[in-house]
Amino acid sequence: MLSARTTLSPRVMGRLRLASQGLVAGGFPSVPDAVRWMTAMQAQDLGSALWAVGQRVPGTAASDVRRALDAGTVVRSWPMRGTLHLLAPEDLRWILGITSDRLMNMVAGRHRELAITADDISHCRDIAFKTVEELKTTEGAAGASREQLFQAFEEAGQITKAQRGIHLLGSLCQRALLVQGPMAVSNGKVGVQQLFVPFEDWIPQSRDLGRGEGIAELLFRYIRSHGPATVRDFSWWSQVPLTEARAALKEVQDRLVEVAFGGASYWLSPETAAMLDDGVPGARSLLALPGFDEYLLGYQDRSLVLAPEFAGLVVPGKNGVFKRIMVSGGEVVGTWARTVKGKAVGVVPEPFTGQLGPAAERSFQAQGRAYLKFMAG
C-alpha cells in the first residue's frame, strides 16, 4: 500500500487519471501510440472519438485520425459492451476472444426472435466476402459499405429489416470475420461511415493470447492507462466477470501500486504513483473533452470526478448519451456545446454552477479554438 507525500482527494485522484490517460504532461507522439496506450477508446460517435484522440496527441488534426483508420494503423470495432471502440489492430482478435462469447450469449434470445442461426451467419460471411471481392474487381473499391452488404444479403434471401441485418453484420465482426476498414467516400467527400473488409485482409497479423493471459494483460493495460481504478471498474469496462478479474489482479499486482481511498482499493502504475511524491500535474488545467470520453465513461463509478448531483446534466434522462464535458483540475465542472450560426461555428461553456472565472474562461476559449482547428484540419 502506497504512502505518499501528497494527500489524496477526489481532485488529486482525478488528476492522476488525467496523467494516466495522456491528457496532461505532454500526451503521446502519434495517433497509433495514443490508441495503443489506451487499449480501447469509446468510439460509437466518430466525431467525439476523433477529438478524444486529438486531446491526447498535441498538434494533430481530425484528418490524421481518419488517415490512421484508412491505413489500418488504428481500427474501429465492437470489442466490448456491444459498443464501437478504437483499438490497435493487433489487439482486436485476442480481446474479442475474451469478450465476444459473453456478448453473443447476451443477444442469443434476440437472434432467436430474428430467426438468425449459425448457418445464416456462415451464409452471410460467404456473401460478404464475395461482395467485397466483386466490388474490388469491378470498381476498385477498398471494401463494401453497410448498404451494399445489406443489399447483397437481401438478394441472397437474408432479410435485413427489423435490425436483422445489423445483428448479422455485428455477428460477423464479433467472430473476427469482418472488420471496419477505410473511411467511405461519397461524392468526393469523406463521410462518417467505414467500409467493411475481411478481417484477415485488413489485419494480417494478430497477437495470440489465451484467455487467462489475455485478461491479465487487459487488466494491466487498463490500470496503466486509466488508473487509479478499481477491479470493479475494470470488470464493468471490459465485461470480464469479477471473479476472473480478481484472479487476473493476482497475476499483475506486483507491477502495480495500490492506494486506499474512500474505503476502496485503487490501482495505478508505478509511474503514475510516483507523481504523488514528485507532484501531480494538471492542478490548473481546464480541458474541453468530447462526449463519451474515457476520462468519464471508462469507469463503473464516476463519482470520483463527477459529483452525483450533476450526473444528470452530463447524461440527461440517463439515456446513455454523454454530453461534452469540461474538466478543471481533475473535476468535471460542466458541459460545453458546439454552436452554429450561419457559417460561423463556435463553442460555448455550460458550467454546472455560476460562471467561469476570467482565467478559466480564457482556458476554455483556448480549448475551443484548438477543437475547431482540429476538426477543420
Side-chain angles (χ1 to χ4, degrees):
M1 192 77 70
L2 177 69
S3 177
R5 298 176 186 174
T6 302
T7 301
L8 291 177
S9 67
R11 289 178 69 89
V12 168
M13 296 285 276
R15 281 157 43 206
L16 289 170
R17 287 182 177 176
L18 289 175
S20 292
Q21 294 204 21
L23 288 165
V24 292
F28 302 100
S30 73
V31 170
D33 286 331
V35 173
R36 187 169 286 107
W37 175 268
M38 293 297 294
T39 305
M41 298 177 68
Q42 187 97 358
Q44 77 269 44
D45 180 82
L46 182 60
S48 293
L50 298 177
W51 181 228
V53 175
Q55 280 283 41
R56 292 164 172 84
V57 188
T60 54
S63 58
D64 295 316
V65 188
R66 290 192 173 97
R67 275 194 290 270
L69 290 168
D70 285 339
T73 56
V74 169
V75 295
R76 185 169 172 238
S77 191
W78 294 266
M80 56 189 70
R81 305 196 308 276
T83 301
L84 283 164
H85 287 73
L86 299 178
L87 305 91
E90 70 272 13
D91 289 335
L92 179 55
R93 182 183 289 280
W94 68 266
I95 293 178
L96 286 174
I98 293 170
T99 62
S100 63
D101 283 349
R102 183 174 186 182
L103 181 61
M104 296 308 295
N105 287 336
M106 291 172 62
V107 299
R110 181 60 176 150
H111 281 196
R112 286 192 292 270
E113 292 175 358
L114 295 170
I116 295 176
T117 67
D119 287 342
D120 291 322
I121 294 170
S122 295
H123 186 207
C124 287
R125 173 202 60 200
D126 295 340
I127 298 166
F129 286 2
K130 180 181 178 182
T131 301
V132 171
E133 188 60 32
E134 288 176 346
L135 288 169
K136 180 180 179 180
T137 301
T138 60
E139 301 179 16
S145 68
R146 184 175 71 175
E147 291 73 18
Q148 288 169 325
L149 288 177
F150 281 8
Q151 181 179 345
F153 290 170
E154 288 280 355
E155 290 173 354
Q158 292 287 349
I159 297 171
T160 60
K161 296 178 181 178
Q163 294 191 321
R164 192 172 187 273
I166 295 292
H167 279 268
L168 286 167
L169 195 53
S171 296
L172 294 174
C173 292
Q174 283 293 315
R175 287 170 167 78
L177 297 169
L178 290 181
V179 66
Q180 291 196 105
M183 302 298 300
V185 177
S186 178
N187 298 321
K189 295 183 178 180
V190 178
V192 297
Q193 301 296 323
Q194 291 171 261
L195 301 176
F196 289 86
V197 295
F199 192 102
E200 297 289 349
D201 291 352
W202 196 246
I203 308 177
Q205 294 184 330
S206 296
R207 296 184 63 199
D208 183 16
L209 300 179
R211 183 173 179 84
E213 181 186 9
I215 292 174
E217 168 143 346
L218 195 59
L219 170 61
F220 176 77
R221 288 172 60 176
Y222 171 80
I223 296 297
R224 185 181 64 176
S225 60
H226 288 68
T230 67
V231 177
R232 288 186 179 276
D233 286 327
F234 167 75
S235 180
W236 174 86
W237 180 82
S238 64
Q239 295 294 281
V240 168
L242 192 56
T243 52
E244 290 186 280
R246 286 171 172 158
L249 179 61
K250 294 178 181 179
E251 299 294 322
V252 300
Q253 64 184 29
D254 62 333
R255 293 188 284 156
L256 301 171
V257 175
E258 182 183 10
V259 296
F261 184 75
S265 288
Y266 288 83
W267 296 87
L268 62 165
S269 71
E271 294 80 8
T272 304
M275 295 176 183
L276 290 169
D277 283 329
D278 301 336
V280 183
R284 298 183 180 277
S285 64
L286 188 143
L287 297 170
L289 297 182
F292 304 101
D293 194 90
E294 286 289 318
Y295 180 71
L296 182 61
L297 191 142
Y299 307 84
Q300 180 187 44
D301 182 4
R302 297 163 187 140
S303 62
L304 198 64
V305 299
L306 174 62
E309 62 266 30
F310 299 129
L313 298 177
V314 175
V315 191
K318 299 181 179 180
N319 60 4
V321 178
F322 284 65
K323 297 181 69 175
R324 303 174 179 93
I325 56 173
M326 291 191 298
V327 180
S328 176
E331 179 185 5
V332 180
V333 297
T335 61
W336 61 281
R338 179 176 178 270
T339 61
V340 179
K341 294 182 179 179
K343 294 184 179 181
V345 181
V347 295
V348 58
E350 299 171 337
F352 293 147
T353 60
Q355 295 180 337
L356 296 179
E361 179 66 32
R362 287 193 297 271
S363 294
F364 174 78
Q365 292 302 327
Q367 283 278 292
R369 289 191 296 272
Y371 164 74
L372 295 174
K373 180 180 178 181
F374 173 87
M375 296 303 293

